[in-house]
Amino acid sequence: MRAKVNLEKLKDLESEFLYRYPKGFKDEHFFPTMKKFKPEKLEEFAKEALKKENFSNPSLIVDGFFKTIQKSVMVSLFDKLKLKDALATLNTYEKDMLSIEIYELLYGNKKEGFEGLVEFLSEYNLAKWTLVSIVPYSINRQKEYFIKPTTTKNIIKYLELKDLVYKPKPSFEFYDNYTKVLTEMKTKLEKSLTFDNAAYTGFFKIAIELCEDN
């Protein structure tokens, strides 16, 4: 069931944000924040490191998976270090299994790949939304979404998306339903706010804070 969007509140967020930052993310106020955010470079790296031809070499894929996460400024250093330690323990068979999940997530049965990756990360207490969602987003920034827990919970609460129930452990069902709602809302907003899906959800974070401060 698709969550119903509170269109009035959505447009209020857009108005408040553009009133404060008329040029959207190109506004000079954003230069310090946006300086480190270079999604085009992350996408370029991820697409090369995780291209289909590389999946014949599981070790190469596992390395590319980690380096894509490592290069992202949106994942915490703590999680990067824990993931690095976990991947360092993998044997050949485990690398093969992980590479299969990554392939399914990116190019095959997305649901199976998503759930398989969550199951793998769960063994190391690393089944986190940021780690599961960053690579699909990196490969396809206009279709897939980076899920940041606090921002996600705030969006659901502020826009009264009652049919969406956030849980800390990633699930494909929630990801699928939530991202469909996000994609639907994109069509109602100025394109300057939706050029990149991580920036787009970042717009919500900033705009909700602005509205709640008023």
Side-chain angles (χ1 to χ4, degrees), residues 89-100:
T89 69
L90 300 186
N91 59 34
T92 303
Y93 172 77
E94 289 166 332
K95 286 181 181 180
D96 191 34
M97 291 298 100
L98 177 56
S99 71
I100 289 171

Side-chain angles (χ1 to χ4, degrees), residues 134-153:
I134 186 62
V135 173
Y137 157 76
S138 301
I139 295 280
N140 195 340
R141 297 183 294 114
Q142 274 68 49
K143 184 180 178 185
E144 304 295 343
Y145 291 85
F146 174 70
I147 306 297
K148 195 167 185 180
T150 303
T151 300
T152 300
K153 287 184 280 187

Side-chain angles (χ1 to χ4, degrees), residues 18 20-32 34:
L18 292 176
R20 189 71 62 95
Y21 305 108
K23 297 177 184 176
F25 286 100
K26 291 183 179 178
D27 195 287
E28 61 185 11
H29 290 93
F30 272 108
F31 287 163
M34 298 297 284

